[in-house]
Amino acid sequence: MRTDTGQVFKLEDYRPTDYLIPETGLTFRLSPEATRVTAVLTVERRDGVAASVPLVLDGDGLTLGRVAIDGQTLAPTDFFATPDQLTITTPPAAARFQLLIETELAPAHNEALMGLYRSSNVYCTQCEAEGFRRITYFLDRPDILSIYTVRIEAPHHEAPLLLSNGNPVGSGELADGWHYAVWHDPFPKPSYLFALVAGALGKVADSFVTLSGREVELGIFVEPGKERLAGYAMDALKRSMKWDEEAFGREYDLGVFNIVAVSDFNMGAMENKGLNIFNDKYVLADHETATDADFANIEAIIAHEYFHNWTGNRITCRDWFQLCLKEGLTVFRDHEFSADQRSRAVKRIAEVRTLKAHQFPEDQGPLAHPVRPRRYREINNFYTATVYEKGSEVVRMIRTILGAETFRAGMDLYFERHDGEAATIEDFIKVFEDVSGRDLSQFSLWYHQAGTPNLTISSTHNAAAQEFTLEIEQSVPPTPSESRKRLMHIPLAFSLVGADGKAIEYSGVEGASVEDGVIHIRKRRHMVRFSGVAERPAMSLNRGFSAPVTLSVEQRADDQFFLAGHDNDTFSRWQAFNTLLTEVLISAFRQVLDGRQPGFASRLIELAGKIAGDETLEPAYRALALALPSEADIARDIGKNIDPDAIFSAREALTVAIAEANREIFSDLYDRLTDKDEFRPDAASAGRRALRNTLLDYLSLLQGGAALAARHFQSATNMTDRAAALSVLALRHNGSPETVKALADFEAKYATDPLVMDKWFQIQASVPGPQTIHAVRALTGHPAFSMANPNRVRSLVGTFSSANQTGFHRADGEGYRFFVETVLQVEKRNPQLAARLATALRSWRSLEPARQGKAREALLSIANTENLSADLRDIVERTLA
Ligand code: BES
Ligand code: ZN
């Protein structure tokens, strides 16, 4: 474990290296306890660098064997080695030489899951961001591009399959039952994209013919016997390859594309060149074991990693500060892919919900940072919702500002200009300035300035003058280490909606530049005056969520109701309805506290019934609309002095009220939606299931609800329905005989399927209320649970601490004590995972004072622990700062 050194890396300190490594040869002699790695690096001194300049290579916990230069083993005085660094003190005078380094690794004992490790007897690697240095000493930074040739040797019976990046170029038998394979990747790549897999795996094979007619061999490798669960992933891969050709003109560039699924993985998946490695959760699926959400995730993540081949691999990042250059852009690309494969409106609503649930709290709390950070202590902690989700929104805004065609021209120029390079955000912005002739300097603050901007908007209509005026004011709240903010360029899509639900035409506008339905806000205040507006319109603002901002709008409830029922843009309709729900929930929360009456609740409750039954709306949309803002959503909107129990009660009361008022509509519809067809994972069928399961959740709160959910559970023919029913039983009827039986049946049926058991853990960790902590503690001792497996830890501990408001934030602090114990326990093996878990307390300052005090104590007790990893110390100290 790398303990914290307190070192801070700064963007402004970027310097190119003195040496390059144009070629890398690696030989692995694999063994669980003692793998021998021989690296042969072609090292080149840059022009103008003196021969006396030492060569300093990165390592992380390495055991060094031999070092040789141009065939001569070095004497101990010629180099200086620690586990974390190798310095060649006096490199040869020649500008180019060959450096051989032998290291020895113990993959079987690598529980951090970075570098070379074992997962269910399969050797695999994870090198992003800085894992390659756990394999050999190297210039382990993304601007060092090298051509790799990799030879893997292993006992044939233990590892019949030997994979690395690029194309296979040789293989054969060796003595004593060993064999070898050689892989060559012709594309220069940074070390974080290196990958190796060796073991006994089953293969699903297919092929794809590219735009220019080249045939690519596709392989998905899974645990033997699970091949039939990889069909959906393969289909998603082929659709991704086709889509990238059509939408971005990007063709695949090697003869092989392989994906390997492993069961111990820190993240979702990794885009290693030609050899993606996946958490098996995002590969394996059939209707018996995977939910519709799982299918959608698999499709999106397969696409995401595949799309990195151009946005990340062919054009990579100059340094880790530029992470959003590949991640934000690739998330944007996978969002667009899913929107095209499924329903665009539904996809956008889901994205915005995710953004608000994960990125907004990050941006509004102690861990706030710009999309392109300027400093970090531990880069692993910057794979955040801000870099990913907000990073994607920034790309979306560029497209909004430029228009789809110019945006595409900019992307084409980006690929043309920077292919084969390690680029920066400045390079990315420049291509769009060049193709559009626009100045994007103010816009680029979106990359550099943290915090969620707020727009305060009010309107007046002057009937006599036929004038409608929007008064808009922007502000960006201060964030850690950035107290004063600059004014941003915010593209606000809008519509002035008339009584027929259609946009009102206006004859002129002044006060801001307005193009194609977008107001370009650039100043602190704008008075935007529309002329020729006879009737008072309803304002539909931030349509399609054109900018990731919060709005404080003075809007009549009547107008919101009108938009929620009639806006011709589905997203905006959802947004209006959701805003109303949030308002009612907040006023109900206040009522719980001070006895005030909620306003227009009954009208809204009625509208919920109308939306449910509106056959002109797609079922998936109706399901999303009926899903009330989560407890965390409500807490975020309230902002401070949060009492999770009061929020829970308010939300529960509204749910019951909606169910009671719409009992008949809901129950008729529930019956009609019962699916008799064979299971299909497509978006339309998934949408019908989502709506029916949402209705079940409401109906379960009425009389006979537990029995209804139990029947739903028993008659389920797929995992979506089964897991939904189990969740309703556990969350709404905890402790009932129906629930106890369903949990036991589920466990008995799926005890040997870890990915399904994750759902079982997750559901139990989500049960609201103060008792859940006991169940969660007990479940850490369940035979299917393991602190060493990230999926298990996330499903139980992660769910409890970041998705169970009333359970985790138990008033006596017991949830926090459990959190401290488990985070520290996980950290011993896997600091990266521990640091992720620890972000669960990032919004501790918005809690009411008593809980706040207890949360702070918990954080302090971690901070006061000695020898913390860099990962965990960084998160905990920033959270407390
Ligand atoms: N490059 C990342 C994987 C990664 C992240 C490796 C952090 C090392 C550290 C990959 O492309 C990625 O972003 N994966 C996401 C899923 C994606 C669909 C957003 C993940 O793993 O969560
Ligand atoms: Zn990615």
Side-chain angles (χ1 to χ4, degrees):
M1 174 171 102
R2 243 189 322 177
T3 47
D4 184 48
T5 57
Q7 193 182 353
V8 176
F9 297 89
K10 297 180 182 148
L11 172 62
E12 66 264 27
D13 291 345
Y14 174 82
R15 298 283 176 281
T17 54
D18 294 321
Y19 292 90
L20 299 170
I21 308 177
E23 280 166 37
T24 300
L26 296 171
T27 299
F28 289 83
R29 205 167 158 82
L30 293 172
S31 150
E33 305 284 331
T35 290
R36 170 59 50 109
V37 182
T38 310
V40 178
L41 314 179
T42 303
V43 180
E44 223 173 68
R45 187 176 294 110
R46 270 192 217 262
D47 284 349
V49 174
S52 57
V53 174
L55 169 64
V56 184
L57 301 177
D58 308 300
D60 181 1
L62 288 173
T63 305
L64 179 62
R66 196 162 72 96
V67 190
I69 289 182
D70 293 331
Q72 295 287 312
T73 299
L74 296 194
T77 48
D78 297 336
F79 65 92
F80 180 72
T82 70
D84 300 341
Q85 204 165 64
L86 172 64
T87 306
I88 309 294
T89 31
T90 42
R96 200 179 164 105
F97 56 93
Q98 230 184 33
L99 173 63
L100 178 147
I101 303 167
E102 273 177 13
T103 49
E104 197 179 282
L105 320 174
H109 301 293
N110 180 352
E111 291 191 297
L113 315 184
M114 284 292 271
L116 177 69
Y117 65 94
R118 299 264 283 173
S119 173
S120 311
N121 298 322
V122 174
Y123 293 93
C124 64
T125 55
Q126 170 57 34
C127 292
E128 188 178 2
E130 297 177 336
F132 192 72
R133 62 184 68 182
R134 292 164 62 93
I135 294 173
T136 189
Y137 294 98
F138 203 74
L139 292 172
D140 190 16
R141 41 186 279 173
D143 61 345
I144 292 296
L145 306 186
S146 192
I147 293 180
Y148 285 68
T149 305
V150 179
R151 179 183 164 101
I152 311 166
E153 302 177 0
H156 205 143
H157 69 283
E158 275 172 30
L161 178 78
L162 306 172
L163 302 174
S164 190
N165 316 89
N167 298 310
V169 292
S171 63
E173 298 303 318
L174 297 167
D176 302 324
W178 281 56
H179 72 149
Y180 74 93
V182 183
W183 291 78
H184 176 76
D185 180 0
F187 293 94
K189 66 168 174 286
S191 48
Y192 80 86
L193 290 174
F194 165 78
L196 173 154
V197 172
L201 289 160
K203 179 177 187 178
V204 177
D206 208 326
S207 68
F208 181 83
V209 178
T210 69
L211 196 59
S212 67
R214 279 185 312 100
E215 183 158 328
V216 183
E217 266 182 55
L218 309 177
I220 299 188
F221 296 87
V222 298
E223 195 182 301
K226 297 202 167 159
E227 292 83 354
R228 54 171 196 85
L229 298 176
Y232 186 78
M234 182 61 89
D235 184 58
L237 173 61
K238 290 190 285 180
R239 285 184 282 123
S240 306
M241 295 178 86
K242 184 111 190 77
W243 185 89
D244 213 14
E245 295 182 341
E246 287 166 357
F248 282 92
R250 296 296 111 199
E251 197 175 326
Y252 187 63
D253 51 10
L254 285 165
V256 222
F257 186 79
N258 286 326
I259 291 176
V260 178
V262 299
S263 41
D264 304 274
F265 201 73
N266 277 343
M267 303 292 294
M270 178 64 209
E271 71 265 26
N272 316 300
K273 181 81 187 190
L275 179 55
N276 289 0
I277 298 182
F278 270 62
N279 185 326
D280 58 4
K281 171 177 164 62
Y282 297 118
V283 173
L284 305 173
D286 72 358
H287 69 278
E288 181 56 45
T289 59
T291 61
D292 291 321
D294 293 327
F295 282 104
N297 279 332
I298 290 171
E299 177 180 83
I301 299 182
I302 292 269
H304 177 98
E305 306 311 336
Y306 173 73
F307 297 157
H308 268 314
N309 192 54
W310 276 96
T311 49
N313 302 3
R314 290 287 287 254
I315 304 178
T316 194
C317 302
R318 187 192 71 174
D319 52 64
W320 292 120
F321 296 101
Q322 321 296 328
L323 182 58
C324 63
L325 180 71
K326 74 177 179 81
E327 294 302 347
L329 176 56
T330 305
V331 169
F332 171 76
R333 278 151 54 68
D334 83 57
H335 283 178
E336 282 300 294
F337 168 74
S338 296
D340 283 345
Q341 303 286 311
R342 293 163 177 258
S343 153
R344 188 161 276 273
V346 166
K347 175 64 183 158
R348 188 64 186 141
I349 294 167
E351 278 160 27
V352 170
R353 285 186 82 131
T354 311
L355 180 80
K356 289 187 175 176
H358 298 117
Q359 201 276 326
F360 278 24
E362 188 165 271
D363 230 355
Q364 293 161 11
L367 300 180
H369 57 274
V371 172
R372 188 180 71 183
R374 276 179 297 277
R375 50 205 57 222
Y376 62 76
R377 277 165 75 179
E378 175 50 63
I379 189 57
N380 283 332
N381 291 337
F382 280 81
Y383 289 76
T384 60
T386 296
V387 168
Y388 276 68
E389 260 47 70
K390 189 174 180 182
S392 162
E393 295 302 319
V394 176
V395 176
R396 182 175 298 277
M397 286 190 282
I398 296 179
R399 191 181 62 177
T400 301
I401 292 170
L402 265 54
E405 250 174 64
T406 312
F407 174 76
R408 172 66 200 271
M411 286 300 301
D412 289 348
L413 180 59
Y414 176 63
F415 293 124
E416 190 184 310
R417 194 181 273 176
H418 298 291
D419 186 13
E421 288 181 10
T424 62
I425 284 302
E426 282 73 13
D427 295 328
F428 185 66
I429 294 170
K430 184 75 168 47
V431 295
F432 296 108
E433 291 190 320
D434 288 354
V435 292
S436 68
R438 286 178 194 250
D439 175 1
L440 294 176
S441 47
Q442 188 186 10
F443 177 81
S444 66
L445 278 178
W446 281 104
Y447 282 107
H448 308 317
Q449 189 163 274
T452 309
N454 180 259
L455 295 176
T456 304
I457 304 179
S458 60
S459 68
T460 45
H461 182 242
N462 181 335
Q466 302 208 343
E467 215 173 63
F468 184 70
T469 306
L470 286 179
E471 188 177 336
I472 305 176
E473 190 169 328
Q474 68 159 293
S475 64
V476 186
T479 54
S481 78
E482 284 179 15
S483 50
R484 299 203 40 208
K485 301 286 185 178
R486 289 153 69 192
L487 294 172
M488 319 237 338
H489 174 188
I490 299 171
L492 185 73
F494 76 105
S495 177
L496 305 182
V497 183
D500 56 359
K502 296 204 181 105
I504 289 182
E505 299 290 327
Y506 48 86
S507 56
V509 56
E510 56 186 57
S513 106
V514 177
E515 301 167 65
D516 302 325
V518 175
I519 304 173
H520 293 270
I521 297 158
R522 294 165 173 277
K523 299 190 293 182
R524 180 168 312 285
R525 276 186 78 227
H526 288 264
M527 295 283 278
V528 190
R529 209 163 266 127
F530 297 90
S531 45
V533 181
E535 60 167 319
R536 193 186 64 81
M539 301 178 282
S540 172
L541 296 169
N542 208 16
R543 284 164 85 82
F545 216 68
S546 64
V549 299
T550 53
L551 299 181
S552 315
V553 189
E554 253 177 58
Q555 170 103 308
R556 301 181 192 186
D558 279 348
D559 284 356
Q560 289 284 24
F561 270 101
F562 177 72
L563 294 173
H566 302 285
D567 197 314
N568 62 358
D569 176 75
T570 322
F571 177 85
S572 302
R573 218 159 142 170
W574 169 78
Q575 187 155 267
F577 185 61
N578 201 254
T579 306
L580 286 165
L581 285 171
T582 308
E583 276 174 38
V584 165
L585 285 163
I586 292 178
S587 73
F589 163 80
R590 301 238 151 87
Q591 187 201 10
V592 170
L593 292 181
D594 65 19
R596 271 196 292 146
Q597 284 301 311
F600 37 77
S602 57
R603 210 171 144 195
L604 193 62
I605 288 167
E606 198 183 315
L607 180 56
K610 284 215 188 86
I611 292 175
D614 185 343
E615 299 292 338
T616 67
L617 296 167
E618 49 183 328
Y621 171 83
R622 290 184 264 161
L624 278 172
L626 292 174
L628 298 188
S630 71
E631 291 152 60
D633 290 336
I634 304 163
R636 204 179 49 251
D637 275 332
I638 295 169
K640 53 175 194 291
N641 212 7
I642 298 304
D643 171 359
D645 296 329
I647 292 179
F648 177 81
S649 307
R651 187 176 184 274
E652 176 105 324
L654 181 61
T655 314
V656 171
I658 291 178
E660 281 173 346
N662 298 294
R663 173 199 301 264
E664 268 164 45
I665 302 176
F666 284 8
S667 104
D668 281 356
L669 189 55
Y670 173 85
D671 291 339
R672 270 190 287 131
L673 283 164
T674 308
D675 207 346
K676 287 166 200 79
D677 300 338
E678 202 186 319
F679 179 89
R680 289 179 40 219
D682 66 293
S685 327
R688 285 192 297 275
R689 284 187 286 272
L691 179 54
R692 184 163 178 266
N693 289 328
T694 304
L695 296 171
L696 172 68
D697 188 35
Y698 282 105
L699 294 169
S700 75
L701 289 167
L702 304 175
Q703 233 207 329
L708 177 69
R711 278 201 302 281
H712 194 108
F713 180 80
Q714 240 108 53
S715 59
T717 57
N718 57 74
M719 185 50 73
T720 304
D721 292 339
R722 193 171 292 120
L726 188 62
S727 172
V728 166
L729 283 167
L731 273 61
R732 305 292 193 191
H733 297 278
N734 185 32
S736 74
E738 289 90 343
T739 304
V740 173
K741 179 169 187 318
L743 281 169
D745 289 354
F746 192 98
E747 181 189 7
K749 188 159 179 192
Y750 299 109
T752 59
D753 188 332
L755 293 177
V756 182
M757 284 305 283
D758 282 344
K759 301 179 197 304
W760 186 80
F761 286 120
Q762 198 177 336
I763 288 169
Q764 295 179 80
S766 310
V767 174
Q771 295 310 313
T772 303
I773 179 70
H774 306 304
V776 171
R777 270 192 199 278
L779 285 169
T780 58
H782 189 279
F785 184 79
S786 157
M787 285 288 180
N789 178 275
N791 288 354
R792 296 306 89 73
V793 172
R794 279 186 288 253
S795 61
L796 184 64
V797 186
T799 301
F800 178 68
S801 54
S802 38
N804 187 339
Q805 301 298 310
T806 52
F808 179 54
H809 298 288
R810 201 175 117 127
D812 65 359
E814 195 50 37
Y816 305 150
R817 276 189 287 277
F818 169 73
F819 163 87
V820 173
E821 287 160 32
T822 25
V823 164
L824 290 175
Q825 217 178 321
V826 170
E827 194 218 18
K828 290 194 195 103
R829 309 170 189 257
N830 189 334
Q832 201 180 331
L833 180 62
R836 291 231 155 219
L837 287 179
T839 61
L841 272 180
R842 67 183 171 194
S843 300
W844 66 280
R845 278 207 182 79
S846 36
L847 293 163
E848 50 79 24
R851 284 179 174 86
Q852 213 180 107
K854 298 197 162 72
R856 184 164 174 275
E857 264 171 51
L859 287 162
L860 281 173
S861 78
I862 298 180
N864 292 333
T865 306
E866 272 174 32
N867 297 320
L868 278 193
S869 61
D871 307 61
L872 188 54
R873 180 160 301 285
D874 172 43
I875 291 291
V876 171
E877 288 186 358
R878 277 193 288 140
T879 304
L880 279 165

